[in-house]
Amino acid sequence: MEIGTVENGGVVGGEAVAGKRGKTPQGWKCMPFIIATETFDKVASIGVVANLTVYLVKRFNIGQIEAANITNIFFGTLNFAPLLGAFISDTYLGRFKTLAYGCFASLLGMLGMTLSASLPALKPPICHETTRLGGGCNSPSTLQLSVLYLSLGFLIIGGGAIRPCSLPFGVDQFDKTDEEGRKGLNSYYNWYYGTSTAALVLSMTVIIYIQNNVSWPIGFGIPTLLMLLAVIILFLGTNLYVHVQPEGSIFAGIAQVLVASFKKRNLKLPCPHDINQQGLMLYNPPSRGNRVFRLPLTSQFRFLNKGAIVMGDDINVDGSARNSWELSNVQQIEEVKCLIRIVPVYISGVLCFVALAQQFTYIILQTFTMDCHFGTHFEIPAGSVVSISLIALTLFIPIYDRILVPIARRFTGVESGITLLQRQGIGLAISPISMVVAGLVERKRRNSALSNGGISPMSVLWLAPQLVLMGIAEAFNAVGQIEFYNKQFPENMQTLAGSLFFCTIAGANYLSTALANIMRKVTTRDDHSSWLTDNINLGKLDYYFYFIALMGVLNLIYFLICSHYYQYKVMSLHSEESIKIPTKEEEATEIDIDTDAPSK
């Protein structure tokens, strides 16, 4: 398909596509390598760290509180590290190199963990449970702790590089100007998240079982071999990949727009009520980067447009800005607007994951007081019960992608079946329902436990309905978030978009901890026990679940308000949302470049 050059918005010429990509995107031909790499990496990394607290306590003789703190710090750092990885990728290395270095770092970290569990010199002597309770275990030496922390550090470096790059690197392999490429991309998001979740299920069941019941060296050795396999598979597809080159610091560009707009805040915009004329008069040079799409000027957050007003000698003879801190171009301004629009939606995603975090935290405590037998001889490990949610998510995604999306597409005309915000909204609606179900089950469990000496005869499978609902909610909201960030962020910020999802999880974990601490203090008064106690039979955990459900309802209302005012990024008529939900600004600035596109 021929794409013409648009001077003041829309799409850069076809030659820019070749300039960015260097060769034709291979689409699904690359996916076996990328998805397999991600899957093996997920099994390997989660297989090493999912059981970290147990490993620190039982094999490294570290106290429970200290082990919990180490684990929390590790996971918090691991989830925020992608921000740094995104910066390095977009500014210096590019996605493939960052991904490759990250895989090697993770491999070193896993190898270190395996050695720490295998070599006698790198681990303290085994301490029996009775000795541990008496506080007589030998503490790990400085060398042993150094190897352990160094290994965890390599895992953080690897996770910080892999997590923000693997998904957008796959996105780079699809041609978004082609209908088949866009359809393949929509399916890619679903299959990527689905296979990653399946890997989590495998890690949290098989790998954890091997570590706890067979051998720690074998339990760590298997993930290490899988990580080595992931590295090999990644490089097997080298000749097929499209490589997007880094375009410099995105954070500097954001700061320049804000500073330039502030310096020119007292100026009046030319033709403030005519966005087309305003676009012709503002600084809007031809794109010099490797982008495929250019963003048209919009009137939302119009105060930022002042940063592109040309004053006197702002422009050099060659057409470049004399000082980027005093004059921004339209493309930079619209990229910053994209970020501003996304922030309110991002906040709603954090609150959605609070429900997920709370439910997973307290389900383990519930299982301790329930019947965990499945059949006559098999007993479900307490830590594996939450995998029901992951299994539900894994099974639902193919149903959604292959059955629900084609059906919805017939009614909506949207390539992905429903819009990105609608998908997130459905997940936000299901999330509080799952918490209400959790509260009803908890009330029944507590009454049963109190009537039977503290241990309820209820099967642990009573927890399955709430976990299945949460898995479906995650399939809608979490996958919707990932797709939303990757499609709504400017193209040169795709790696940052990938890191934002992990920051959502990290933010939810920290917020969940704060909520639990506040709730303990608030509900402990007038000689009444707190809703959240070490002995959940004496607390009111169901009330806490209802409180989280209420927060979810308020969050849904907040999200609907944000969605009402949200303006999708406009690039061309290929954008599904700009076709279905055009705004006045989009109708005024979007240029029809495809005669086969549906008319607005």
Side-chain angles (χ1 to χ4, degrees):
M1 181 178 62
E2 188 84 9
I3 300 179
T5 301
V6 179
E7 180 64 24
N8 290 299
V11 183
V12 179
E15 68 274 8
V17 177
K20 174 197 175 199
R21 303 191 182 276
K23 59 181 177 182
T24 304
Q26 299 298 309
W28 277 104
K29 291 182 180 179
C30 301
M31 292 309 103
F33 302 100
I34 296 175
I35 292 181
T37 300
E38 169 65 18
T39 301
F40 285 127
D41 166 66
K42 193 72 71 176
V43 173
S45 58
I46 299 300
V48 168
V49 302
N51 217 16
L52 181 59
T53 301
V54 177
Y55 178 67
L56 295 177
V57 172
K58 292 190 174 182
R59 194 61 200 87
F60 250 70
N61 302 337
I62 295 177
Q64 293 185 9
I65 300 300
E66 184 181 355
N69 289 336
I70 293 173
T71 302
N72 287 333
I73 293 172
F74 172 77
F75 277 113
T77 309
L78 182 64
N79 283 321
F80 276 117
L83 279 177
L84 180 59
F87 171 77
I88 294 174
S89 170
D90 287 340
T91 307
Y92 301 108
L93 297 180
R95 289 161 194 161
F96 178 76
K97 288 184 179 180
T98 306
L99 186 60
Y101 288 138
C103 287
F104 280 116
S106 290
L107 180 60
L108 289 175
M110 293 173 189
L111 182 61
M113 293 295 293
T114 304
L115 292 176
S116 74
S118 305
L119 300 180
L122 298 181
K123 59 183 179 180
I126 295 178
C127 183
H128 296 290
E129 188 67 25
T130 54
T131 307
R132 181 178 296 109
L133 293 175
C137 296
N138 293 325
S139 300
S141 66
T142 302
L143 172 63
Q144 293 163 352
L145 285 176
S146 298
V147 173
L148 174 68
Y149 292 149
L150 181 62
S151 302
L152 294 178
F154 274 119
L155 289 175
I156 290 173
I157 294 172
I162 294 172
R163 292 185 173 192
C165 294
S166 60
L167 180 63
F169 181 65
V171 172
D172 291 338
Q173 312 311 314
F174 291 92
D175 185 355
K176 287 175 280 188
T177 65
D178 177 74
E179 182 178 357
E180 289 300 318
R182 294 193 305 275
K183 288 182 178 180
L185 183 58
N186 290 330
S187 294
Y188 168 64
Y189 288 114
N190 292 321
W191 286 101
Y192 178 92
Y193 200 84
T195 54
S196 297
T197 305
L200 289 177
V201 173
L202 180 61
S203 297
M204 297 181 68
T205 52
V206 177
I207 302 299
I208 287 180
Y209 179 85
I210 292 174
Q211 291 171 351
N212 289 340
N213 298 283
V214 180
S215 167
W216 284 105
I218 296 176
F220 284 158
I222 292 175
T224 303
L225 291 176
L226 290 177
M227 191 65 234
L228 177 61
L229 185 60
V231 174
I232 295 173
I233 292 175
L234 176 66
F235 282 95
L236 285 177
T238 301
N239 293 332
L240 295 175
Y241 300 144
V242 163
H243 298 272
V244 176
Q245 298 302 316
E247 296 187 347
S249 174
I250 58 175
F251 297 105
I254 295 171
Q256 288 169 354
V257 169
L258 298 177
V259 171
S261 300
F262 179 79
K263 287 182 176 180
K264 297 183 176 180
R265 64 189 182 280
N266 295 324
L267 299 181
K268 291 185 178 180
L269 287 169
C271 306
H273 302 294
D274 190 334
I275 199 67
N276 284 335
Q277 289 299 318
Q278 187 181 138
L280 292 172
M281 300 177 67
L282 298 180
Y283 182 57
N284 193 14
S287 175
R288 295 185 178 182
N290 293 325
R291 302 181 183 93
V292 177
F293 296 108
R294 290 183 66 188
L295 302 174
L297 182 68
T298 64
S299 62
Q300 192 178 35
F301 309 120
R302 193 173 60 187
F303 64 92
L304 292 176
N305 294 357
K306 295 182 179 182
I309 297 177
V310 179
M311 296 286 294
D313 59 348
D314 279 348
I315 301 179
N316 296 320
V317 177
D318 61 357
S320 62
R322 180 184 58 81
N323 188 340
S324 298
W325 294 93
E326 295 181 356
L327 180 65
S328 300
N329 59 58
V330 170
Q331 177 72 19
Q332 290 176 308
I333 290 172
E334 290 302 318
E335 288 174 353
V336 173
K337 289 181 181 180
C338 287
L339 299 183
I340 295 175
R341 295 184 189 112
I342 287 171
V343 169
V345 179
Y346 166 80
I347 294 174
S348 70
V350 172
L351 293 175
C352 177
F353 272 95
V354 167
L356 185 68
Q358 295 293 345
Q359 198 158 261
F360 279 17
T361 299
Y362 290 100
I363 272 181
I364 294 179
L365 299 180
Q366 290 175 299
T367 58
F368 289 156
T369 66
M370 301 179 73
D371 181 9
C372 294
H373 287 89
F374 188 73
T376 306
H377 303 290
F378 181 74
E379 186 172 357
I380 303 174
S384 298
V385 173
V386 294
S387 63
I388 295 175
S389 177
L390 302 177
I391 293 172
L393 188 153
T394 304
L395 295 178
F396 180 76
I397 283 181
I399 296 174
Y400 176 84
D401 186 63
R402 295 303 180 185
I403 299 177
L404 298 183
V405 168
I407 293 175
R409 188 182 293 142
R410 295 177 185 176
F411 294 97
T412 64
V414 176
E415 290 177 358
S416 58
I418 55 178
T419 65
L420 303 178
L421 291 176
Q422 288 170 348
R423 181 168 186 173
Q424 292 182 65
I426 293 174
L428 292 176
I430 297 175
S431 176
I433 296 175
S434 73
M435 296 307 301
V436 171
V437 173
L440 295 174
V441 172
E442 167 56 19
R443 182 177 182 180
K444 183 177 180 65
R445 183 213 61 79
R446 186 180 66 246
N447 292 337
S448 175
L450 292 175
S451 301
N452 290 274
I455 301 297
S456 172
M458 289 175 57
S459 171
V460 74
L461 294 180
W462 273 87
L463 302 174
Q466 68 201 57
L467 289 171
V468 170
L469 284 172
M470 186 54 73
I472 295 175
E474 189 176 357
F476 277 103
N477 186 266
V479 181
Q481 281 189 58
I482 291 175
E483 188 173 0
F484 176 78
Y485 297 145
N486 279 274
K487 286 188 175 180
Q488 293 303 299
F489 264 79
E491 283 205 329
N492 64 321
M493 300 182 185
Q494 291 295 295
T495 318
L496 178 63
S499 68
L500 194 61
F501 176 74
F502 297 102
C503 292
T504 301
I505 299 174
N509 288 332
Y510 290 135
L511 181 58
S512 297
T513 302
L515 281 175
N517 291 332
I518 292 172
M519 192 59 62
R520 287 192 185 98
K521 294 181 179 180
V522 171
T523 58
T524 304
R525 59 179 59 181
D526 300 329
D527 296 328
H528 291 290
S529 298
S530 171
W531 288 0
L532 305 177
T533 62
D534 291 335
N535 186 346
I536 61 173
N537 291 336
L538 301 179
K540 295 289 185 181
L541 186 57
D542 52 335
Y543 289 0
Y544 185 56
F545 286 161
Y546 296 146
F547 174 75
I548 299 297
L550 177 61
M551 285 187 58
V553 173
L554 297 177
N555 185 43
L556 176 61
I557 296 173
Y558 163 79
F559 175 81
L560 293 176
I561 296 174
C562 294
S563 300
H564 178 73
Y565 290 101
Y566 185 81
Q567 292 184 10
Y568 284 96
K569 183 178 70 173
V570 184
M571 297 182 299
S572 72
L573 281 177
H574 296 305
S575 174
E576 58 182 355
E577 289 79 15
S578 63
I579 295 174
K580 301 305 296 182
I581 314 176
T583 65
K584 292 180 180 180
E585 289 81 359
E586 291 168 357
E587 292 177 340
T589 59
E590 191 173 35
I591 299 177
D592 191 345
I593 61 171
D594 187 351
T595 57
D596 295 328
S599 112
K600 297 199 277 188

